[in-house]
Amino acid sequence: MADTRTDQDLDQDQERGTRRKVVVDLVVIAVLLLPLLFSLWRGAADARAHLSTDWEVNHRTKESLQRYALMIIGLPSAGALCGWTIAALRDRPALLPMVRGALAGTLTLWALGIVTFVSALMNLTSTP
């Protein structure tokens, strides 16, 4: 028996596969970002609970929370922007490259966090 599927059927199958990949990637991004967002929320709650009378300490705390929030939002967004740009330059649909770029930004964020954590441990255990 010959394959009687038309080009339209093949396009629909490809669209279904693309949608499935997008949904899976978005779920992975959400799972990876939830612990980071939770730690940001806990850090903000902890800073609020332990306000200092010294304005410089409060200012440094606020700046560190802002940098952390910028990293959490900025890296996945920058990855999505890069994916969209690449898709636009190649004249292709942009949804999957955008989501893959956001996933790459999220994974980069985790990699930076792990490197920072290991570096802090090395500094903690080093002898003066």
Side-chain angles (χ1 to χ4, degrees), residues 56-73:
E56 288 182 56
V57 172
N58 289 336
H59 185 69
R60 274 183 272 154
T61 302
K62 182 183 84 168
E63 284 180 337
S64 72
L65 286 171
Q66 287 173 341
R67 280 192 300 272
Y68 189 52
L70 181 64
M71 291 286 286
I72 290 175
I73 301 302

Side-chain angles (χ1 to χ4, degrees), residues 2 9 17-18 21 25 49 52 57 65 68-69 78 84 88-89 100 117:
D9 291 337
T18 300
K21 289 176 186 175
D25 288 349
S52 173
V57 172
L65 286 171
Y68 189 52
W84 176 80
L89 290 175
R100 293 276 164 94
F117 181 74

Side-chain angles (χ1 to χ4, degrees), residues 33-118:
L33 285 180
L34 277 176
L36 300 174
L37 291 171
F38 181 73
S39 68
L40 174 66
W41 177 74
R42 290 291 302 156
D46 187 53
R48 178 85 171 129
H50 298 97
L51 285 176
S52 173
T53 56
D54 185 8
W55 71 269
E56 288 182 56
V57 172
N58 289 336
H59 185 69
R60 274 183 272 154
T61 302
K62 182 183 84 168
E63 284 180 337
S64 72
L65 286 171
Q66 287 173 341
R67 280 192 300 272
Y68 189 52
L70 181 64
M71 291 286 286
I72 290 175
I73 301 302
L75 275 174
S77 300
L81 181 65
C82 288
W84 176 80
T85 303
I86 290 170
L89 290 175
R90 291 184 175 180
D91 198 26
R92 294 196 176 155
L95 184 61
L96 185 60
M98 282 177 59
V99 173
R100 293 276 164 94
L103 181 59
T106 303
L107 292 174
T108 302
L109 182 63
W110 271 95
L112 288 173
I114 290 168
V115 167
T116 303
F117 181 74
V118 169

Side-chain angles (χ1 to χ4, degrees), residues 9-21:
D9 291 337
L10 293 173
D11 288 343
Q12 287 176 349
D13 287 346
Q14 187 177 11
E15 281 182 29
R16 243 181 262 124
T18 300
R19 274 189 248 131
R20 186 175 301 123
K21 289 176 186 175

